[in-house]
Amino acid sequence: APAGTFLGFMAEGTLLARRGEYDKAVGCFNNALRLRAGDKHCLVARSRCHLKLGHTDDSLRDAEAALQNDKTFSEGLYQKAETLYTMGDFEFALVFYHRGCRLRPELQKFWLGIEKCREAILNCVGSPSSVKLENKEDLCFVSRQAECKKANQKLQIKLTKDQKWTRKQQPVRNPKMERQLLGELYADKAYLEKLLKDEDLMESTMKQGIKVADLVLSGISYLDTRSKFWQQQKPIYARVRERRLRQQRWIRDKKQKPAEVGRYIVKSMEDIDLLLTGDAPEESCRKAQRVLKTVQGWSGEDVPNKNELIANLYSCIGNAQLEMGRVEAALQSHKMDLECARQNDLPDAESRALDNIGRVYVRMGKFQQAIDTWEEKIPMAKSSLEKTWLFHEIGQCYLELNKAEAAQSYGQKSLQSADEEADAEWQLHATVLVAQAQVKLKDYRSAITNFEKALEKAKLIRNEAAQKAIV
């Protein structure tokens, strides 16, 4: 077994994947699977990396393995659908997007997957109304896979001694259109086609026994296939039309009336919140960043509460980044929220920013910085319930720093505020905190008394997990 722990390899692999080092991430996930074979979360993570590297067969194999023992595993269903979509199997991808959507209808990514599959299929075959089938005796149905296989066989070039290293004649494609489809890869394809003209090079063989001609032709064939896939996914005419619509929307947005601006802001903030609560933090972050850029380009006359809105968007970006595990970026975003709030005298935004900064510091393990931040927020707390939570979190931080007396003091303050609100659940949390601090102080008799009180509260609110932990 490799030296290390399963969770350690998983954490390292996830970090490397976020940095874009997918080869190294695959190595970490391989080690993790040696320690815990068949772990579905690890298989899905490795499948994502394989997909980023273009290893679609390996990606599909891992996604199917993740679903082997749990057919309702939503992450596995989504990853299999994504892999099938990338492979061009839009119909099968649509099936798995639908399965995932039935199991987790609240996840936006399944709905987006269904929409993009439908669009890709329509781009390939057109709308159903445009197809008319005739019932003839010699009508036969061939599966899409068989058709693709047959088409690929036609593209294979069998070279003889008398033949030159050239491809079969393909329909002439507009270079401008091909350049748009392939993007940066267009230069690579042009280079490979230039190599085909070098007959001496094409007749040579590499050390591994692979013919240079076969290697070059396979590269060109792959780029042709990708070009067709991207053309099916979003044809050139669709891209041109989309670009025009974007330009029209941009011009229209600049001339929006105040009421329309208000509706746009409300709708955007709702979408950002829904994406974050719907387990799509990356999409939520991107949307918030786009809206922030748009709002910053508006004048104060268009948006009277512009500064407050900008602060709120920084807060949304920070929360999404924290969900993605990007703690340093999240800390920076929340600090921008705090700076904006202080510059524009926004006390509510300042309180919110201090709250979030404290949470990020806790995630980073910087408990003293979290305490300093939250203690600055205490005078801004508006309700006893808010103070209850705040005192409890500060007490927990002191407990992590082995400062039991301070932890007990804040636990008692939290309990007092919870009593004022008559909130049984927070009374339970505060009492447990006090008891834990008393254990650290070796005041066992008082700790037992408080644990017994906490047990009664847990029974009152029927929290079985808390009851077991307290006992």
Side-chain angles (χ1 to χ4, degrees):
T5 64
F6 173 78
L7 292 176
F9 284 126
M10 279 292 292
E12 186 179 358
T14 303
L15 183 61
L16 288 168
R18 284 182 184 141
R19 291 176 179 170
E21 300 178 31
Y22 301 111
D23 280 323
K24 294 180 181 178
V26 168
C28 290
F29 293 134
N30 289 340
N31 289 332
L33 287 168
R34 289 192 190 102
L35 295 171
R36 191 179 296 178
D39 183 86
K40 58 186 182 182
H41 296 284
C42 188
L43 284 166
V44 165
R46 189 171 70 175
S47 175
R48 289 195 198 102
C49 292
H50 280 312
L51 193 59
K52 291 288 187 181
L53 292 167
H55 306 157
T56 51
D57 291 337
D58 293 333
S59 177
L60 184 60
R61 194 178 299 114
D62 279 347
E64 289 174 340
L67 292 167
Q68 188 172 2
N69 297 322
D70 184 3
K71 303 295 184 185
T72 62
F73 181 41
S74 62
E75 288 299 317
L77 288 170
Y78 179 74
Q79 186 57 30
K80 185 171 182 179
E82 285 284 282
T83 305
L84 289 168
Y85 180 83
T86 305
M87 295 171 77
D89 289 334
F90 303 125
E91 297 92 339
F92 290 111
L94 184 61
V95 170
F96 286 95
Y97 281 128
H98 271 296
R99 287 184 187 176
C101 192
R102 281 198 297 271
L103 291 168
R104 298 290 301 278
E106 75 279 5
L107 294 183
Q108 187 74 9
K109 59 186 179 182
F110 285 117
W111 292 102
L112 293 173
I114 291 169
E115 286 303 316
K116 70 182 181 183
C117 273
R118 285 176 178 169
E119 184 181 349
I121 292 169
L122 286 176
N123 288 336
C124 290
V125 301
S127 62
S129 60
S130 64
V131 180
K132 293 182 180 180
L133 294 176
E134 296 180 6
N135 188 8
K136 295 182 179 180
E137 292 181 0
D138 60 344
L139 183 65
C140 62
F141 296 93
V142 184
S143 69
R144 180 175 177 276
Q145 287 79 6
E147 288 178 340
C148 290
K149 187 176 180 181
K150 188 176 180 181
N152 288 334
Q153 286 174 348
K154 287 181 180 179
L155 289 174
Q156 294 296 323
I157 300 168
K158 296 180 180 179
L159 297 169
T160 62
K161 293 180 180 179
D162 299 331
Q163 288 177 314
K164 293 185 177 181
W165 303 102
T166 57
R167 291 183 298 156
K168 288 185 178 180
Q169 289 298 321
Q170 300 292 333
V172 178
R173 179 177 283 168
N174 186 343
K176 184 179 179 182
M177 182 180 73
E178 194 168 39
R179 188 180 288 106
Q180 283 182 301
L181 287 169
L182 290 174
E184 295 178 357
L185 295 176
Y186 180 77
D188 297 331
K189 186 183 176 187
Y191 175 72
L192 291 174
E193 288 178 337
K194 187 177 179 181
L195 288 180
L196 281 176
K197 298 176 182 178
D198 189 339
E199 295 183 12
D200 294 334
L201 177 63
M202 293 300 101
E203 290 174 0
S204 61
T205 306
M206 298 175 67
K207 290 182 180 179
Q208 296 84 357
I210 303 171
K211 291 184 178 180
V212 173
D214 293 340
L215 199 61
V216 172
L217 288 169
S218 66
I220 295 174
S221 176
Y222 171 78
L223 291 173
D224 283 336
T225 306
R226 286 288 87 191
S227 175
K228 290 176 184 176
F229 169 72
W230 288 321
Q231 170 70 6
Q232 291 168 353
Q233 186 181 2
K234 188 168 285 188
I236 293 297
Y237 68 83
R239 298 179 188 209
V240 172
R241 180 173 176 273
E242 190 178 81
R243 186 162 59 250
R244 286 175 183 168
L245 289 173
R246 271 202 307 269
Q247 289 173 348
Q248 290 171 5
R249 280 198 298 268
W250 181 76
I251 294 169
R252 189 173 62 248
D253 287 345
K254 289 191 75 175
K255 298 178 180 178
Q256 280 178 325
K257 296 178 182 178
E260 293 173 340
V261 171
R263 282 195 294 271
Y264 166 77
I265 291 170
V266 171
K267 179 68 169 57
S268 298
M269 297 306 292
E270 287 177 353
D271 290 344
I272 291 165
D273 187 52
L274 283 172
L275 287 169
L276 186 59
T277 55
D279 196 24
E282 292 183 14
E283 294 171 28
S284 175
C285 185
R286 284 196 293 269
K287 174 111 180 146
Q289 287 170 337
R290 287 197 299 270
V291 176
L292 176 62
K293 190 175 180 180
T294 302
V295 172
Q296 285 174 333
W298 287 341
S299 65
E301 296 177 359
D302 295 329
V303 190
N305 60 338
K306 177 181 174 180
N307 293 324
E308 186 177 352
L309 182 58
I310 289 173
N312 198 357
L313 285 165
Y314 275 123
S315 178
C316 293
I317 292 168
N319 289 333
Q321 288 168 335
L322 189 62
E323 284 294 315
M324 290 188 284
R326 296 167 54 190
V327 287
E328 292 290 347
L331 181 61
Q332 187 62 32
S333 295
H334 288 308
K335 283 184 176 179
M336 291 292 289
D337 178 20
L338 181 61
E339 182 182 349
C340 187
R342 285 176 172 168
Q343 285 178 353
N344 298 283
D345 192 22
L346 302 170
D348 290 341
E350 183 178 359
S351 176
R352 176 193 63 216
L354 290 170
D355 182 359
N356 288 324
I357 290 170
R359 292 174 191 267
V360 177
Y361 277 135
V362 168
R363 182 74 71 88
M364 298 169 76
K366 297 180 178 180
F367 299 109
Q368 188 58 56
Q369 287 93 323
I371 291 168
D372 295 339
T373 304
W374 278 331
E375 285 182 340
E376 190 178 349
K377 173 185 163 66
I378 290 173
M380 304 178 190
K382 292 184 176 181
S383 67
S384 297
L385 191 59
E386 188 177 0
K387 288 180 181 178
T388 300
W389 173 86
L390 196 55
F391 291 145
H392 179 271
E393 294 304 300
I394 294 172
Q396 284 284 7
C397 288
Y398 275 122
L399 202 63
E400 291 287 343
L401 294 171
N402 289 321
K403 296 181 179 180
E405 290 183 3
Q408 182 181 9
S409 173
Y410 272 103
Q412 289 167 344
K413 289 179 181 179
S414 178
L415 181 59
Q416 183 181 350
S417 298
D419 289 338
E420 291 175 9
E421 285 286 331
D423 190 308
E425 188 164 355
W426 274 110
Q427 287 171 344
L428 163 64
H429 295 319
T431 307
V432 168
L433 174 60
V434 172
Q436 288 174 322
Q438 288 169 340
V439 171
K440 293 269 187 183
L441 293 168
K442 298 184 180 180
D443 185 1
Y444 301 118
R445 192 175 300 279
S446 299
I448 289 171
T449 302
N450 279 308
F451 275 129
E452 287 173 346
K453 289 179 182 178
L455 185 59
E456 291 301 318
K457 294 290 182 186
K459 289 177 180 178
L460 180 66
I461 62 175
R462 298 180 181 178
N463 188 332
E464 294 182 3
Q467 291 176 43
K468 290 179 182 177
I470 292 166
V471 170

